[in-house]
Amino acid sequence: MIHQYILNGYHIVLDVCSGSVHVVDPLAYDMIAHFEELPKEVLLRQLQEKYRSDPDVTDEELENCWQEIEALREEGSLFSPDVFAPMAGTLKEKSAGIVKALCLHVAHTCNLNCSYCFASQGKYHGDRAVMSFEVGKQALDFLVANSGTRRNLEVDFFGGEPLMNFEVVKQLVAYARSIEKQAKKNFRFTLTTNGMLIDDDVIDFANREMSNVVLSLDGRKEVHDRFRVDYAGNGSWERIVPKFQKLVQARQGKNYYMRGTFTHANPDFLEDIRQMLKLGFTELSMEPVVCAPDDPSALTEEDIAVVKKQYEELACLMLEREAAGEPFTFYHYMLDLADGPCIYKRISGCGSGTEYMAVTPWGDLYPCHQFVGEERFKLGDIWSGVTNTEVRGEFAACNVYAKPECRDCWARLYCSGGCAANAWHATGSITGTYEAGCELFRKRMECAIMMAAARADRVQNQG
Amino acid sequence: MERKHIVSLKTRNLCASAANGGCGECQTSCQSACKTSCGIANQKCENSKKAE
């Protein structure tokens, strides 16, 4: 299977199953489009006709172009067959029973009252609660005990607002550090925060212990303050921005992301990216809102058209800034073509419900943070382990080839079937697909791959 | 063969990665920044033994 598109002047051809990416001229682009369906003579004759007015497209050039395409086909980097479908189920078995990442819900409570929050203002449609050290410690022990030979273990302090339970966060990190050497593990911690409680103590701790910090900021003040308000209805932008700036400055290059959400109110989210840049932030992530289609903040079809255009403009802005020596990162455009994930990862996906689980403040296990509160998906708890083997089995069997709509999608080995929670909310099945999310994902991949083409072009021109 | 019409970018051979892949050391997708979507293509391979 191949996918062809033109973006920012680049003619791009992806060979889906080999992972190859080719940047071609218009003649090759047209020839590849019909290479497999037309006999050579017919194809060349049609193109001869189409390019009649172009003096460069001689019979010899047509033949040369055909030979280039044929050589790529023979070496397996164009029109490569899909050899992965038969092995899809068995690839995920490699990690059967292993848990390597936990999302610790240390606080099911929040000091902001954002109406678009998928976690229902941090409560996950339940009662307010905070995790005790004993529960958190047991969760870390559960993780170590179930991680097999995995060395890198990931723990995300999440909520609600995790800094509302900061003392326990510090105690849990200290505990993890005290056991990791003997257990031959390497803990990588992430803190996801709205910023309200950041102070010097938090900054020192986060910059010492957190591999990554995710800071919630929606961009422009008026956009951010529309949703991200306290319980008195006051916007939080002015209070959190200086704290975020101080934290990022002190971080000295360690990973962080400014993570925003865009909604029906701001499909022109590139303006929010520009605002983040003006504030001095360079590691950025903006996510489409996840909510019911009838929610007032849900993206409409018209919004999605705007967003797709914004994604293209964002890619061009990033290329311009790179060329000017002022690069910035957009999380969804971080595409490492040469050293990205293996086919195992590409088929298996995010690992929710198998390698990755969420832990509630009282120690229940769920397939991921987005399933917390959905009783049907409760997997077990951190003392007894996974007892709901039926649900775990559903997630273990969920891979990109288990999703009928993904089988013919060119982006299937870039998204690996997408988010199980989004699929479930949209279709009632974790093997369904959230089509609006797919449409945006495909556009993001087209942009990211175009950027790779532009960078290669720049290097070639400089050389 | 010198190519005039096609430039191929450097990419990982996915078919070859089937042989040595699956070490599981790479980052779990949602732990990084998104939390509400899934994309695995932006995860870096952390397999220290990969040969392909």
Side-chain angles (χ1 to χ4, degrees):
Chain A
M1 181 184 199
I2 61 166
H3 174 62
Q4 297 182 262
Y5 66 101
I6 302 168
L7 184 55
N8 197 24
Y10 292 97
H11 294 67
I12 296 170
V13 181
L14 312 183
D15 186 59
V16 172
C17 294
S18 69
S20 304
V21 178
H22 310 289
V23 186
V24 305
D25 66 10
L27 176 62
Y29 189 86
D30 287 341
M31 198 176 282
I32 287 169
H34 302 288
F35 193 83
E36 287 209 300
E37 70 192 45
L38 293 176
K40 181 180 177 184
E41 301 73 31
V42 177
L43 177 57
L44 297 196
R45 199 164 55 241
Q46 282 186 1
L47 291 172
Q48 193 180 41
E49 188 62 30
K50 179 172 180 181
Y51 286 87
R52 177 190 292 275
S53 60
D54 187 340
D56 292 334
V57 182
T58 61
D59 288 351
E60 188 184 357
E61 273 315 308
L62 283 164
E63 175 64 26
N64 287 345
C65 188
W66 195 93
Q67 292 296 341
E68 286 185 28
I69 295 167
E70 175 63 9
L72 289 175
R73 192 185 63 77
E74 283 181 6
E75 74 177 34
S77 56
L78 203 51
F79 309 115
S80 61
D82 189 337
V83 295
F84 305 130
M87 65 173 86
T90 59
L91 283 174
K92 213 166 179 177
E93 283 172 10
K94 275 192 172 190
S95 64
I98 288 177
V99 183
K100 57 161 284 201
L102 289 182
C103 185
L104 289 190
H105 290 222
V106 292
H108 269 198
T109 183
C110 193
N111 45 13
L112 289 183
N113 184 25
C114 313
S115 58
Y116 65 8
C117 180
F118 79 83
S120 172
Q121 290 72 48
K123 302 187 298 296
Y124 292 83
H125 309 285
D127 295 329
R128 292 187 187 280
V130 291
M131 184 179 282
S132 67
F133 170 69
E134 288 70 29
V135 168
K137 176 176 175 293
Q138 178 62 32
L140 295 175
D141 289 340
F142 166 83
L143 177 59
V144 170
N146 287 279
S147 58
T149 58
R150 298 287 191 275
R151 185 169 179 276
N152 295 322
L153 305 184
E154 298 155 37
V155 175
D156 188 7
F157 294 106
F158 201 62
E161 172 50 44
L163 291 180
M164 292 180 79
N165 197 11
F166 184 42
E167 283 308 311
V168 167
V169 170
K170 286 197 285 191
Q171 290 168 12
L172 291 174
V173 169
Y175 175 69
R177 295 295 182 221
S178 75
I179 62 170
E180 68 181 344
K181 198 170 177 186
Q182 195 175 5
K184 296 189 173 129
K185 304 294 178 185
N186 175 40
F187 278 100
R188 290 171 172 170
F189 295 108
T190 299
L191 176 72
T192 301
T193 178
N194 64 26
M196 294 289 282
L197 295 175
I198 288 176
D199 58 17
D200 288 348
D201 190 20
V202 171
I203 290 173
D204 289 347
F205 172 79
N207 290 348
R208 191 173 62 246
E209 296 288 3
M210 297 293 123
S211 301
N212 188 21
V213 182
V214 181
L215 309 169
S216 300
L217 178 73
D218 285 351
R220 288 166 289 182
K221 181 177 184 301
E222 64 273 22
V223 169
H224 181 95
D225 284 348
R226 181 179 287 118
F227 291 109
R228 303 190 68 81
V229 297
D230 61 20
Y231 280 85
N234 300 312
S236 57
W237 194 92
E238 287 195 348
R239 280 175 282 176
I240 60 162
V241 165
K243 294 170 190 267
F244 284 159
Q245 286 172 316
K246 191 172 183 185
L247 185 147
V248 166
Q249 199 168 22
R251 205 151 168 78
Q252 296 188 320
K254 281 183 90 173
N255 272 0
Y256 77 92
Y257 283 102
M258 304 311 297
R259 193 265 189 222
T261 299
F262 59 85
T263 70
H264 176 59
N266 62 320
D268 60 337
F269 71 92
L270 186 53
E271 291 310 310
D272 299 293
I273 295 267
R274 289 184 197 278
Q275 177 63 57
M276 290 184 188
L277 292 169
K278 271 187 212 161
L279 294 170
F281 304 122
T282 57
E283 311 304 304
L284 314 179
S285 174
M286 284 291 278
E287 291 283 329
V289 67
V290 172
C291 59
D294 58 352
D295 189 295
S297 58
L299 295 168
T300 63
E301 268 182 44
E302 291 76 24
D303 293 336
I304 285 175
V306 172
V307 168
K308 286 165 75 174
K309 199 74 193 154
Q310 293 274 288
Y311 277 136
E312 292 182 6
E313 289 175 22
L314 169 61
C316 292
L317 174 67
M318 289 180 73
L319 290 170
E320 279 169 28
R321 296 260 310 205
E322 281 175 21
E326 296 176 319
F328 69 96
T329 303
F330 181 63
Y331 174 71
H332 286 294
Y333 288 175
M334 289 167 59
L335 188 59
D336 191 341
L337 291 173
D339 197 26
C342 63
I343 192 63
Y344 159 84
K345 176 88 170 180
R346 289 171 186 265
I347 288 175
S348 309
C350 70
S352 60
T354 54
E355 291 184 329
Y356 170 55
M357 293 174 194
V359 184
T360 65
W362 46 94
D364 286 344
L365 290 167
Y366 283 88
C368 86
H369 52 288
Q370 286 211 67
F371 285 104
V372 166
E374 303 290 349
E375 275 302 297
R376 140 153 165 61
F377 287 100
K378 185 179 157 184
L379 288 166
D381 62 55
I382 51 175
W383 295 277
S384 307
V386 174
T387 48
N388 190 344
T389 51
E390 190 182 332
V391 168
R392 183 173 64 182
E394 280 180 49
F395 279 83
C398 182
N399 66 69
V400 69
Y401 285 93
K403 299 188 165 210
E405 288 93 341
C406 298
R407 284 177 174 256
D408 297 323
C409 175
W410 64 264
R412 63 184 181 273
L413 298 180
Y414 294 89
C415 84
S416 69
C419 170
N422 289 352
W424 182 68
H425 286 298
T427 69
S429 167
I430 62 168
T431 56
T433 51
Y434 172 50
E435 183 48 40
C438 295
E439 191 176 353
L440 295 180
F441 184 88
R442 285 190 289 265
K443 173 54 77 176
R444 292 198 295 262
M445 286 304 100
E446 287 188 342
C447 290
I449 291 165
M450 179 279 288
M451 290 174 69
R455 289 183 187 120
D457 194 22
R458 190 159 61 211
V459 168
Q460 197 173 29
N461 288 338
Q462 283 168 351
Chain B
M1 173 178 156
E2 191 186 340
R3 292 203 227 135
K4 266 182 69 181
H5 300 275
I6 302 173
V7 175
S8 300
L9 303 186
K10 188 166 182 267
T11 51
R12 185 174 191 182
N13 186 321
L14 299 186
C15 301
S17 77
N20 296 314
C23 77
E25 292 293 353
C26 54
Q27 193 174 40
T28 305
S29 312
C30 238
Q31 294 291 91
S32 43
C34 52
K35 285 290 181 195
T36 51
S37 65
C38 176
I40 47 87
N42 53 13
Q43 305 294 324
K44 195 165 186 65
C45 178
E46 298 200 43
N47 187 346
S48 56
K49 293 176 185 160
K50 72 173 181 286
E52 86 280 358

